[in-house]
Amino acid sequence: MQTVRAKKYLGQHFLKDLNVARKIAETLTEGPVLEIGPGMGVLTQFLLQNPNIDLTAIEIDRESVAYLHEYYPELKLIEGDFLKLDLNKVFPTGSFSVIGNYPYNISSQIFFKVLEYRERIPVCSGMIQKEVAERLASKPGKKEYGILSVLLQAYYNIEYLFTVDEYVFAPPPKVKSAVIRCTRNERQSLGCDEELFKQVVKTAFNQRRKQMRNSLRVESLKLKVERSWIEDSEKLKEFYSDPIFNKRPEQLSVEEFIELTLKIEKLCQK
Ligand code: SAH
């Protein structure tokens, strides 16, 4: 077999630069590791060389799977879609890290899935579109700061490690790339209603230019507030007079989003 023909619909851009590949592989040092989308194995070869790493890979593309079987017969390889993979079956107990030169078309969904399994994933690192990496790592107050920054930073510390130019790929992607590492932080739980937290973050950022007094109305959050409250405009007015509602979502840290969620939670209990 020669090489795998790059398929656009699978987000296939094969990394050619072995130095970059080695640097990505070195973002993880040990333990059970899942590589997403190994392609022709450019990262895989370095991960397999590390005796402290126990590697499993998942690849959706049949042609890449055939290639990997031929050149890396020792690799534990699953043919399938990472987004549909039951990680509890692959790793019945304990923790595992996640790595990849990810398919950029599904990178956000990959991070949402990592968040679902956060109690078992201490580190998730790899290469994504530069613009997405900047969003994930962004601090409050910047235009890149958004939904995934808040949700991911609630549970992970994000390091933007380095930028990678498009010409080290075949075919070159239209965008620049970046390597990041997400390491689980100390936070065990948010201390507020998780679902409401997500809803508050999403609703606020959907109208990111507005003060949250206007975007986070009882109706837009679909809150179950007593009828008498909604009708009592004075009470609601008092609630929304809290200075936190003067702000726009990009000004709020994770902690302030938690504080805000707690306030809204109390409103629902009244
Ligand atoms: N890691 C390789 C390939 C990167 S391209 C390299 O650095 O060269 C992204 C890879 O992810 C491709 O091999 C593609 O087939 C695979 N892929 C795309 N969608 C996937 C999915 N849902 N689950 C698993 N692998 C996927």
Side-chain angles (χ1 to χ4, degrees), residues 26-259:
E26 284 170 1
T27 59
L28 290 183
T29 52
E30 58 179 7
V33 169
L34 180 67
E35 184 188 356
I36 301 173
M40 286 187 278
V42 68
L43 295 181
T44 319
Q45 57 187 322
F46 293 107
L47 293 163
L48 286 171
Q49 278 168 20
N50 181 339
N52 299 320
I53 284 180
D54 177 12
L55 186 67
T56 305
I58 174 148
E59 171 58 63
I60 201 169
D61 175 35
R62 178 161 298 175
E63 201 187 337
S64 297
V65 168
Y67 182 98
L68 292 161
H69 277 314
E70 186 170 332
Y71 290 94
Y72 303 96
E74 74 277 34
L75 176 66
K76 282 185 263 175
L77 181 61
I78 303 164
E79 179 174 347
D81 180 348
F82 168 72
L83 297 178
K84 294 189 184 139
L85 183 67
D86 182 350
L87 289 169
N88 293 322
K89 285 218 174 100
V90 186
F91 300 100
T93 56
S95 58
F96 57 95
S97 298
V98 173
I99 196 167
N101 168 17
Y102 297 109
Y104 296 177
N105 50 338
I106 57 164
S107 54
S108 298
Q109 292 165 73
I110 290 174
F111 287 101
F112 279 119
K113 181 151 179 173
V114 166
L115 268 176
E116 275 176 47
Y117 285 87
R118 61 178 178 262
E119 294 318 333
R120 305 195 46 210
I121 304 182
V123 186
C124 168
S125 66
M127 186 144 61
I128 51 177
Q129 198 177 323
K130 177 173 187 255
E131 184 193 82
V132 178
E134 285 168 345
R135 273 196 264 141
L136 299 188
S138 174
K139 294 285 157 226
K142 299 204 167 158
K143 67 175 191 313
E144 291 82 13
Y145 190 64
I147 296 172
L148 206 47
S149 334
V150 179
L151 299 184
L152 203 59
Q153 288 172 31
Y155 292 107
Y156 285 90
N157 297 330
I158 324 289
E159 296 163 87
Y160 184 106
L161 298 175
F162 56 93
T163 306
V164 179
D165 284 331
E166 49 277 40
Y167 56 79
V168 300
F169 298 87
K174 289 207 178 68
V175 292
K176 290 209 184 298
S177 302
V179 175
I180 60 159
R181 177 168 48 207
C182 312
T183 309
R184 188 75 174 80
N185 63 23
E186 301 282 285
R187 190 176 273 120
Q188 287 310 309
S189 83
L190 296 180
C192 66
D193 183 319
E194 294 256 343
E195 283 310 310
L196 185 60
F197 175 81
K198 276 192 241 166
Q199 206 195 338
V200 165
V201 172
K202 286 181 184 170
T203 311
F205 277 108
N206 280 339
Q207 293 178 290
R208 63 181 296 141
R209 304 303 307 160
K210 286 195 183 170
Q211 288 187 353
M212 291 188 293
R213 171 165 304 114
N214 299 314
S215 54
L216 296 182
R217 306 305 302 179
V218 168
E219 314 82 59
S220 39
L221 286 170
K222 299 193 180 69
L223 295 179
K224 290 195 192 71
V225 180
E226 263 187 54
R227 195 86 230 138
S228 63
W229 257 81
I230 304 189
E231 280 158 10
D232 189 336
S233 56
E234 278 310 308
K235 279 189 193 166
L236 271 187
K237 211 168 161 183
E238 190 192 319
F239 177 71
Y240 283 106
S241 70
D242 189 311
I244 200 164
F245 289 109
N246 294 343
K247 297 194 175 181
R248 283 179 283 135
E250 64 196 41
Q251 298 173 289
L252 258 59
S253 64
V254 170
E255 289 71 26
E256 287 171 308
F257 268 112
I258 294 173
E259 191 189 312

